[in-house]
Amino acid sequence: MGEVGPIDYLVVEFPGNRMTGEGFPILVDLVDRGLIRILDLMFVRKDDDGSVTGMEIADLTGDGELDLAVFEGVSSGLLGQDDIEEAATALEPGSSAGILVYENLWAAPFAAALRRGGARMVASGRIPVPALVAALDATEAAH
């Protein structure tokens, strides 16, 4: 597998189809600094009747300006229609979502070294931020 970092995905809901674009410059910065590589970036909209449609990545606001032209054509083929439909089940009607699949480039050398040493990943996960904050608050309150 060479030096391939862990692959993660995010599904981010935008209630009421309100996308400010505030996070996109940060995403571009992560790519530019070589911390992540975007494998797939797709957007979907769940209409009030529950139907799901894909959205053009370059002009999410519909104002004719290319909001995300830098990401146009980003597709590894990992995401299929079934993934889009599964992601849409988590959405409220009248909302949209971005689906992002990315490689953690920062971890690739570490992961490759572990594989060369015979190690294998047996579990992985993510701790939700609210759970972390609650645990830290509980620890602080106990001291």
Side-chain angles (χ1 to χ4, degrees), residues 14 19 21 24 27-28 38-45 53-76 79 97-101:
F14 299 96
M19 296 182 209
F24 293 120
L27 185 60
V28 170
I38 297 175
L39 301 174
D40 280 294
L41 180 59
M42 303 179 84
F43 289 87
V44 295
R45 181 178 58 235
T53 56
M55 296 171 60
E56 176 60 42
I57 193 170
D59 183 14
L60 293 175
T61 59
D63 63 2
E65 294 182 26
L66 297 179
D67 305 311
L68 301 175
V70 69
F71 298 123
E72 194 169 16
V74 173
S75 178
S76 67
L79 291 176
I99 306 169
L100 175 67
V101 179

Side-chain angles (χ1 to χ4, degrees), residues 9-139:
Y9 73 93
L10 297 171
V11 178
V12 180
E13 181 181 45
F14 299 96
N17 296 312
R18 289 183 305 273
M19 296 182 209
T20 66
E22 186 176 345
F24 293 120
I26 296 168
L27 185 60
V28 170
D29 182 58
L30 292 171
V31 171
D32 287 347
R33 290 190 294 144
L35 298 175
I36 67 168
R37 177 170 58 117
I38 297 175
L39 301 174
D40 280 294
L41 180 59
M42 303 179 84
F43 289 87
V44 295
R45 181 178 58 235
K46 188 172 188 177
D47 295 324
D48 289 331
D49 66 2
S51 61
V52 177
T53 56
M55 296 171 60
E56 176 60 42
I57 193 170
D59 183 14
L60 293 175
T61 59
D63 63 2
E65 294 182 26
L66 297 179
D67 305 311
L68 301 175
V70 69
F71 298 123
E72 194 169 16
V74 173
S75 178
S76 67
L78 287 172
L79 291 176
Q81 186 62 34
D82 55 335
D83 299 307
I84 294 168
E85 291 170 10
E86 183 177 340
T89 63
L91 300 179
E92 291 294 322
S95 294
S96 3
I99 306 169
L100 175 67
V101 179
Y102 60 98
E103 176 187 1
N104 291 282
L105 292 175
W106 61 267
F110 176 62
L114 290 174
R115 283 191 294 272
R116 284 191 303 271
R120 61 185 181 91
M121 175 77 70
V122 295
S124 179
R126 178 162 285 132
I127 298 171
V129 172
L132 174 65
V133 170
L136 292 173
D137 287 347
T139 300

